[in-house]
């Protein structure tokens, strides 16, 4: 059993990181008062733009490590810009945020596949090489936890964990975080205190877009390797992690780790002898069944921001 956990853990953490950064972005959006179910589409856009930039740069400059990092930055910026569509519809036009997010998912999938087919002829964009895993010096030698958390790790894992720490401090220890959370709880009271609710909600949605775009590109440079028009429902799984984690950074970390391990078990079950005895279909549906059960259990004790999903009209009192 322990050997199985040691085999799975590094891959589970790699799979968890895109979920974590996407759910963290959704946290900023929903804490500001805007529901963003367009995470899937934003991840697809980031995956496409990151793969395209990296592929073109690797063709022009073979072996240059800067290509990967530039691709990650571009994916982050494209995700941020694409999220402005959702922000404008939800904030300026007071559109239904669920419908707006659904539209983002549909548009992103269609436009990226269309562009990919016109660029490559196949709809797929493959990069020649991604980030290389490494063992963290000294820490990987620690008994028990070293082999679980510090082997076969990627640079992006540590970057995302740093973002998690900074985000937690920003949300709960800074005036910015207080203003953002106030806009999601009591927007009219926040406006009366001189806070621009629309501005803060724009910032929340833009952070969500940037983080989701980065997550899409991280998939490409770690375990994906190519853009194929989808991120296999990870955006919706990240949204479930946000709810499961009760809209709190550490709760989200725990939820994404849980879902990351569940999904990894499903994906690698047939190459691990102790798991191969289970029918593949059971392990494939396992993460999604667990997600539904978790949502059912935790929906009754939901700690969502009180004004999340509600359009803000400064003329109302």
């Amino acid at each position: 059993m322990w050997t199985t956990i040691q085999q799975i853990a590094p891959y589970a953490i790699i799979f968890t990181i895109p979920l974590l950064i996407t759910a963290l972005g959704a946290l900023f959006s929903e804490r500001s008062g805007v529901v963003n179910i367009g995470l899937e589409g934003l991840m697809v856009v980031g995956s496409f733009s990151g793969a395209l930039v990296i592929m073109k740069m690797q063709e022009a400059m073979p072996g240059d490590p800067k290509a990967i990092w530039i691709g990650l930055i571009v994916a982050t910026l494209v995700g941020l810009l694409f999220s402005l569509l959702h922000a404008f519809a939800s904030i300026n036009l007071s559109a239904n945020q669920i419908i707006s997010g659904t539209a983002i998912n549909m548009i992103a999938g269609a436009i990226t596949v269309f562009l990919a087919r016109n660029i490559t002829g196949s709809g797929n964009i493959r990069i020649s090489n991604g980030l290389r895993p490494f063992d963290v010096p000294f820490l990987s030698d620690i008994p028990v936890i070293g082999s679980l958390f510090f082997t076969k790790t990627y640079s992006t894992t540590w970057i995302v964990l740093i973002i998690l720490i900074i985000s937690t401090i920003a949300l709960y220890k800074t005036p910015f975080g207080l203003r953002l959370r106030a806009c999601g709880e009591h927007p009219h009271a926040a406006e009366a205190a001189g806070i621009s609710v629309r501005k803060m909600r724009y910032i929340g949605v833009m952070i969500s877009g940037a983080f989701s775009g980065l997550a899409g590109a991280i998939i490409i440079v770690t375990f994906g390797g190519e853009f194929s028009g989808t991120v296999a429902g990870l955006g919706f799984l990240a949204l479930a992690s946000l709810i499961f984690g009760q809209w709190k950074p550490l709760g989200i970390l725990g939820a994404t780790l849980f879902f990351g391990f569940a999904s990894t078990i499903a994906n690698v079950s047939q190459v691990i002898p102790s798991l191969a005895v289970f029918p593949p279909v059971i392990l494939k549906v396992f993460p999604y069944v667990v997600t539904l059960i978790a949502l059912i259990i935790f929906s009754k004790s939901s700690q969502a921001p009180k004004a999340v999903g509600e359009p803000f009209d400064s003329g109302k009192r």
Side-chain angles (χ1 to χ4, degrees):
M1 183 64 179
W2 175 246
T3 303
T4 302
I5 295 174
Q6 285 181 309
Q7 290 176 315
I8 291 175
Y11 300 103
I13 292 172
I14 293 168
F15 194 83
T16 295
I17 290 302
L19 279 178
L20 174 60
I21 191 66
T22 303
L24 198 59
L27 173 64
F28 277 92
S29 181
E30 298 211 359
R31 279 293 180 185
S32 73
V34 179
V35 174
N36 189 357
I37 68 165
L39 302 174
E40 182 89 358
L42 295 170
M43 290 180 75
V44 168
V45 168
S47 177
F48 166 77
S49 55
L52 180 61
V53 169
I54 293 171
M55 181 192 73
K56 293 296 184 182
M57 291 193 67
Q58 287 180 342
E59 288 176 353
M61 302 179 293
D64 192 338
K66 292 195 297 291
I68 293 174
W69 297 106
I70 292 173
L72 290 172
I73 293 170
V74 170
T76 303
L77 293 175
V78 171
L80 185 152
L81 293 174
F82 204 76
S83 69
L84 290 175
L85 293 174
H86 180 54
F88 180 75
S90 301
I91 301 168
N92 292 78
L93 303 181
S94 298
N96 184 295
Q97 295 171 13
I98 302 299
I99 294 175
S100 175
T102 302
I104 291 293
N105 289 334
M106 296 173 68
I107 292 170
I111 195 170
T112 53
V113 170
F114 172 78
L115 292 173
R117 285 180 178 173
N118 279 273
I119 293 170
T120 65
S122 66
N124 292 359
I125 301 175
R126 177 178 290 275
I127 63 174
S128 58
N129 59 278
L131 291 174
R132 294 182 178 179
F134 62 92
D135 295 345
V136 180
F138 306 112
L139 295 180
S140 59
D141 297 325
I142 299 175
V144 183
I145 64 171
S147 60
L148 292 179
F149 301 110
F150 301 109
T151 59
K152 298 178 183 177
T153 185
Y154 289 90
S155 304
T156 48
T157 298
W158 303 105
I159 291 172
V160 169
L161 291 177
I162 290 170
I163 292 174
L164 172 66
I165 295 170
I166 294 172
S167 297
T168 304
I169 295 171
L171 277 171
Y172 294 102
K173 301 295 182 181
T174 66
F176 164 77
L178 180 61
R179 295 188 188 104
L180 187 81
R181 289 184 287 119
C183 292
E185 296 287 347
H186 303 287
H188 292 294
E191 185 194 35
I195 299 170
S196 174
V197 175
R198 287 192 171 188
K199 177 182 175 181
M200 295 307 296
R201 288 190 170 185
Y202 256 97
I203 292 173
V205 175
M206 289 164 64
I207 292 174
S208 175
F211 285 6
S212 298
L214 174 60
I218 287 175
I219 292 172
I220 297 295
V221 301
T222 53
F223 63 86
E226 71 173 356
F227 169 79
S228 58
T230 180
V231 290
L234 290 186
F236 296 108
L237 205 55
L239 190 61
S241 300
L242 174 68
I243 300 169
F244 192 13
Q246 293 293 290
W247 289 267
K248 296 178 181 178
L250 294 182
I252 290 171
L253 175 61
T256 51
L257 273 172
F258 176 75
F259 288 129
F261 268 91
S263 300
T264 303
I265 288 172
N267 292 329
V268 304
S269 60
Q270 296 308 299
V271 297
I272 296 178
S274 59
L275 296 176
V277 297
F278 295 98
V281 66
I282 293 178
L283 293 174
K284 286 292 182 183
V285 301
F286 175 68
Y288 305 100
V289 172
V290 169
T291 301
L292 288 173
I293 294 172
L295 291 177
I296 291 169
I297 293 172
F298 286 89
S299 61
K300 293 183 179 180
S301 59
S302 173
Q303 298 180 21
K306 293 179 181 178
V308 67
E310 298 178 5
F312 174 73
D313 185 349
S314 59
K316 295 180 181 179
R317 289 291 184 270

